[in-house]
Amino acid sequence: MADRERRGLVARWLEGKERSEDYARSTLPSNRWQLFWDIMKGRFGRLMLVNLLTLITFVPLILVYFWRYLVMAAQDMLGTSFQNDLLFFALFIVAGLIAAVGISGGMYIIRNLIWTEGIFVANDFLRGIRRNYWNVAEAVLIFTLTLFVAQTMSNLANWCIAMDIAPVWMVVSKIVGYVLLALIGVISLWMISLGINYKQGPWALFRNAVVMAVGTLPQTVFFAAIALIPVGLLFSGVGFLVVIAVIAMLLIGLSYVMLVWMDYSQWAFDKFVNPNIGVKTGRG
């Protein structure tokens, strides 16, 4: 009997349960902010599990980051160059495509939570991978390739500045590169949202993401900044903030990022996209 109860508890934790009366339409939040807090409070355990499943696929990315950190620290001590960045940022591309597996599954579950659909975490995670991986992989590939080019050009600019070769233009080129990377970053976020919600080809996905990013730029920058707060704390370099960020990322950080961004995306789709294509609005 105890084994059966234990197994039932684990099964419920992994699979979830169908939507209950507590999640009836009449009792749902009336706006996206309330929906966010309702999911955070009522589905916290599910969010933790989604975070764990997604985090597993980020392990190669984390390992490459720390490998680069150790090698770069040794190079600085020895006074050597940072040509190995070509290798490490190429590895970031590969590791990013692995992380796209978790993003595609996690985003699909978060989307369903926002739509207040009954979820089965393990099953829906796999279903999200099957349905959305290639769209998410395209977004991740575009971003990591841009990151590779931006870092390479930044390293080249640093070398030129050190050699006193057109230092002003080199600084300007670095700033332009960072701005371009940020723009590609928000476009990639929109590609993920669009890829989770709608069926479209690779070119249409990129084109529509550019339209959404440019057309909603102030809101997009604001909500992207809110969504990426844990990531910002992680790279802040301030000891206690980094500790807080690490704990948050291990528990719920990735789920938080996905929930904030998808919640905002659903609002934008309801306002700018769904009415024009005859798709039902107000889901969630």
Side-chain angles (χ1 to χ4, degrees):
M1 178 68 69
D3 290 340
R4 183 183 305 172
E5 291 178 356
R6 242 191 333 265
R7 185 179 62 184
L9 177 62
V10 172
R12 288 195 299 273
W13 185 57
L14 285 174
E15 296 179 356
K17 61 183 179 180
E18 291 295 335
R19 187 171 47 192
S20 65
E21 289 298 324
D22 292 336
Y23 248 69
R25 287 285 176 184
S26 60
T27 63
L28 285 177
S30 58
N31 60 61
R32 295 291 174 182
W33 291 103
Q34 291 180 9
L35 177 62
F36 169 80
W37 290 113
D38 187 75
I39 294 175
M40 286 290 289
K41 291 184 297 182
R43 301 298 181 95
F44 192 82
R46 308 269 172 76
L47 293 176
M48 289 181 63
L49 182 54
V50 172
N51 190 80
L52 176 61
L53 293 174
T54 307
L55 187 62
I56 291 172
T57 66
F58 274 71
V59 169
L61 193 63
I62 296 170
L63 292 177
V64 172
Y65 173 81
F66 279 107
W67 183 18
R68 176 181 180 270
Y69 177 82
L70 294 174
V71 170
M72 297 300 288
Q75 286 181 340
D76 288 343
M77 291 173 59
L78 297 173
T80 55
S81 66
F82 31 66
Q83 294 175 351
N84 283 335
D85 262 357
L86 291 173
L87 169 63
F88 288 120
F89 279 83
L91 290 176
F92 279 140
I93 296 174
V94 177
L97 293 175
I98 297 173
V101 174
I103 297 172
S104 57
M107 279 290 201
Y108 180 75
I109 292 177
I110 296 297
R111 194 280 309 270
N112 288 349
L113 283 175
I114 291 172
W115 285 4
T116 66
E117 294 185 352
I119 63 165
F120 300 83
V121 175
N123 293 338
D124 284 347
F125 192 82
L126 295 175
R127 185 177 295 112
I129 295 171
R130 290 194 299 269
R131 291 185 177 184
N132 305 309
Y133 175 74
W134 294 112
N135 286 337
V136 175
E138 180 188 352
V140 172
L141 182 62
I142 289 174
F143 178 75
T144 52
L145 282 173
T146 305
L147 180 63
F148 176 87
V149 173
Q151 183 64 28
T152 301
M153 298 307 295
S154 177
N155 288 341
L156 178 60
N158 288 337
W159 180 83
C160 290
I161 292 171
M163 300 300 294
D164 199 27
I165 301 175
V168 175
W169 286 109
M170 291 301 103
V171 172
V172 171
S173 70
K174 289 181 65 174
I175 295 173
V176 171
Y178 293 141
V179 171
L180 177 62
L181 181 63
L183 179 61
I184 292 297
V186 296
I187 289 173
S188 298
L189 287 173
W190 275 116
M191 290 179 68
I192 293 173
S193 298
L194 288 163
I196 299 294
N197 272 61
Y198 308 102
K199 292 182 179 180
Q200 50 200 312
W203 168 245
L205 182 62
F206 178 77
R207 179 195 62 211
N208 293 334
V210 171
V211 172
M212 292 299 296
V214 174
T216 63
L217 190 59
Q219 301 98 315
T220 290
V221 171
F222 176 75
F223 282 101
I226 291 179
L228 295 174
I229 286 175
V231 180
L233 295 178
L234 196 62
F235 291 97
S236 66
V238 181
F240 76 97
L241 292 180
V242 173
V243 172
I244 293 173
V246 169
I247 295 173
M249 294 300 285
L250 290 175
L251 293 177
I252 200 173
L254 293 175
S255 289
Y256 165 84
V257 172
M258 294 187 289
L259 177 58
V260 171
W261 181 252
M262 284 301 287
D263 197 13
Y264 162 64
S265 297
Q266 298 307 312
W267 169 83
F269 294 152
D270 279 351
K271 185 174 181 64
F272 300 110
V273 179
N274 293 337
N276 297 322
I277 62 176
V279 173
K280 181 179 179 182
T281 62
R283 301 191 69 175

